[in-house]
Amino acid sequence: MIQSYNTWQHPYTPSKQYKKRIAYFSMEFAIDQALKIYSGGLGFLSGSHMRSAFDLKQNMIGIGMLWKYGYYDQSRNEDQTLKPQFVEKTQNFLDDTGIEVEVAINGNSNVKVKAYVLKPEIFGTVPLYLLSTDVEGNDFLSRTITNYLYDANEVTRIAQSIVLGIGGAKVVEALGGADVYHLNEGHALPAFYYLRDKGVAREQLAFTTHTPEKAGNTERNIHELNHFGFFGRTLSDDELKKEMISGDLLSYTVSALRMAKKANAVSKLHGKVAKEMWKSFNDSCEIIPITNAQNLEFWQDTKLRKAWKNANGSAFSKRKKELKADLFKTVLDQTGKIFDPNVLTIVWARRFAGYKRADMLLYDMDRFQKLIDNTKYPVQIIWAGKPYPMDYYAIDVFNKLVHTSKYSKNLAVLTGYEMELSKLLKQGSDVWLNTPRITREASGTSGMSAAFNGSLNVSTDDGWIPEFRKNGKNSFVLPALDYRLPVEEQDRKDCDNLYDILEKKVLKTYYDKPEKWQQLLFNALDDVAPEFSSNRMAKQYYEELY
């Protein structure tokens, strides 16, 4: 039987405990290297969720956007600094569902939205419906709405939320409707307004808040949103007043919390931070913690898994060196440097943002020079990650690392940080370095998939780490600081503590006590799986949020 997926269906009969129909809305999904519609952690999280929903036979579908140019392709200028490139993407493995809906945007009541489907058999996910306005019959501006993930134009960003939210809700209606509509972050907020007007009850609306960062909790002028069609219809002045938080502003997060039956934060620590952040707003729903996770089957190397399961340290070590050699082919190709699989390799790789402090090792250049010049305990350091293409501070940090590392044989900055490079780095590193300022990282999942592959977390005590870490037994964690200290003081103290850990613990354990190092890795694997596998997370969403 050929399945067209123009009605709600799966290639399996959903399990009894997961029979409730869930429509999961997200601005980005990281499913496979070939489907470049993601930027970072939010996409990696939602992609793992779609894989685990399929593995568990859940009655879920994903609703996302088919970005014509993706996020951006990370290339280099002549001097090796960052160069964002925008190249049209084609995905011939997607199918046209035949579903086309219309939304009203900025006075144009007939913007066409076409739904394509990523079928489950392609990459092992639940059906994922991707929306595009690059449709015959749309005017030029309408066709560009789905060009760029996180478009720098604020007007376009509003239009993207309308397409994902209202367009997505209409696509779900065409498929047969859902029992629960789940917004993964506030980007698709218009869906809640549209569904509420359609009579969908609050009990059917769920929301995930992902970040304590102000930039991640969008606020916009409510009158501008009303004019643009953000609410699915024109709200009266009295209705608008009920939605405002201060002045003429609407907060996407506050509105979602007021309309949802229940919401979740993405770690236990983030749950406390989120409750404190939003406690002053009336009518907000309960916020529970459901810690993010990653798909173990997808991210973990199978030979490492076998060696771990058999408690075979020598086989694990042998495979780890092979994976390091694989990573180092990319290092050589991009930088002309030959790295040694026998040398401790530290990786910092994730989205570049100021609070994540990619360049923390450079805060003390004297100790940095001693670290990279140490012949008794040699190190190799790799940085990778994508700044937002208009985040000039983050781009400056990236470029500073490029210039710092250019002429050092044991330092490298890699470009093209997408799923394939991410997997190479997690499998080929010895240490996964994580340096956000305390309380600023809601979860952070890269360290989970690194731990799946025998990369030891060295981290500040933020996000998911407090739920996992046994300092000195499965990871090394910097002493917690008072997050209310001036930023400069936090940075100085964290840098000092990081160097103390690297010099006194990490390097000496790796080189002088290899058996202890191996035990640390096995302890980390025992503790990270299955607790931080997305199968646990997907199960918890059904049981506690839906």
Side-chain angles (χ1 to χ4, degrees), residues 23-25 42 180-189 192 202-211 216-218 251-266 270 274 278 284-288 290 541 545-546:
Y24 180 101
F25 292 68
L42 186 73
V180 174
Y181 297 82
H182 177 187
L183 303 192
N184 188 35
E185 261 305 345
H187 304 113
L189 179 63
F192 276 6
R202 184 174 184 176
E203 286 71 24
Q204 293 176 258
L205 307 180
F207 174 62
T208 299
T209 176
H210 269 272
T211 178
N217 292 283
T218 305
S251 163
Y252 287 24
T253 301
V254 171
S255 293
L257 290 171
R258 284 172 169 171
M259 284 192 280
K261 177 192 178 185
K262 190 182 287 188
N264 75 284
V266 291
H270 180 227
W278 309 115
S284 294
C285 67
E286 178 188 7
I287 302 175
I288 63 170
I290 298 179
Y541 269 106
L545 193 69
Y546 306 148

Side-chain angles (χ1 to χ4, degrees), residues 448-514:
M448 299 173 187
S449 34
F452 291 163
N453 291 287
S455 184
L456 194 74
N457 275 273
V458 174
S459 178
T460 54
D461 202 18
D462 202 14
W464 76 286
I465 289 291
E467 299 170 47
F468 160 75
R469 54 104 170 93
K470 297 172 184 173
N471 194 18
K473 295 182 179 179
N474 68 3
S475 56
F476 289 109
V477 180
L478 277 63
L481 300 180
D482 184 346
Y483 66 90
R484 293 163 296 192
L485 289 172
V487 165
E488 296 79 9
E489 188 174 349
Q490 290 185 53
D491 291 351
R492 179 179 55 78
K493 288 185 175 182
D494 276 338
C495 179
D496 287 345
N497 288 328
L498 173 58
Y499 273 109
D500 287 346
I501 288 172
L502 291 176
E503 293 165 354
K504 298 174 183 177
K505 297 178 181 179
V506 173
L507 292 171
K508 291 182 178 180
T509 304
Y510 182 84
Y511 286 108
D512 296 340
K513 301 176 182 178

Side-chain angles (χ1 to χ4, degrees), residues 319-531:
R319 178 57 178 164
K320 189 68 182 179
K321 287 183 179 178
E322 292 172 353
L323 292 168
K324 291 173 76 173
D326 288 343
L327 168 61
F328 296 163
K329 291 175 185 176
T330 299
V331 173
L332 177 60
D333 179 46
Q334 287 201 24
T335 69
K337 300 173 185 181
I338 297 175
F339 275 21
D340 184 350
N342 295 304
V343 171
L344 176 77
T345 301
I346 301 170
V347 167
W348 189 104
R350 57 189 46 78
R351 181 173 66 87
F352 268 65
Y355 74 90
K356 293 176 185 281
R357 302 184 292 187
D359 57 342
M360 181 186 282
L361 286 169
L362 275 58
Y363 293 174
D364 187 331
M365 288 304 295
D366 288 338
R367 294 182 83 172
F368 179 67
Q369 202 63 48
K370 290 176 183 176
L371 177 71
I372 63 176
D373 290 344
N374 191 329
T375 55
K376 181 179 180 181
Y377 299 117
V379 298
Q380 297 163 156
I381 306 173
I382 301 171
W383 292 272
K386 280 188 175 182
Y388 176 64
M390 301 297 174
D391 184 348
Y392 298 110
Y393 175 82
I395 291 171
D396 283 347
V397 171
F398 185 94
N399 290 339
K400 180 173 73 171
L401 290 167
V402 169
H403 292 307
T404 301
S405 66
K406 192 181 294 186
Y407 301 109
S408 296
K409 292 182 178 180
N410 55 342
L411 305 178
V413 177
L414 302 183
T415 57
Y417 186 66
E418 296 171 353
M419 292 185 75
E420 284 302 308
L421 180 56
S422 179
K423 186 177 281 191
L424 278 174
L425 289 163
K426 289 162 181 172
Q427 294 178 349
S429 56
D430 296 305
V431 168
W432 196 258
L433 186 58
N434 183 45
T435 51
R437 293 191 185 102
I438 293 288
T439 76
R440 303 285 292 278
E441 187 74 270
S443 177
T445 57
S446 63
M448 299 173 187
S449 34
F452 291 163
N453 291 287
S455 184
L456 194 74
N457 275 273
V458 174
S459 178
T460 54
D461 202 18
D462 202 14
W464 76 286
I465 289 291
E467 299 170 47
F468 160 75
R469 54 104 170 93
K470 297 172 184 173
N471 194 18
K473 295 182 179 179
N474 68 3
S475 56
F476 289 109
V477 180
L478 277 63
L481 300 180
D482 184 346
Y483 66 90
R484 293 163 296 192
L485 289 172
V487 165
E488 296 79 9
E489 188 174 349
Q490 290 185 53
D491 291 351
R492 179 179 55 78
K493 288 185 175 182
D494 276 338
C495 179
D496 287 345
N497 288 328
L498 173 58
Y499 273 109
D500 287 346
I501 288 172
L502 291 176
E503 293 165 354
K504 298 174 183 177
K505 297 178 181 179
V506 173
L507 292 171
K508 291 182 178 180
T509 304
Y510 182 84
Y511 286 108
D512 296 340
K513 301 176 182 178
E515 291 183 359
K516 182 179 179 181
W517 183 267
Q518 184 62 69
Q519 190 58 53
L520 285 167
L521 302 185
F522 278 2
N523 289 345
L525 272 159
D526 291 339
D527 293 334
V528 79
E531 182 61 27

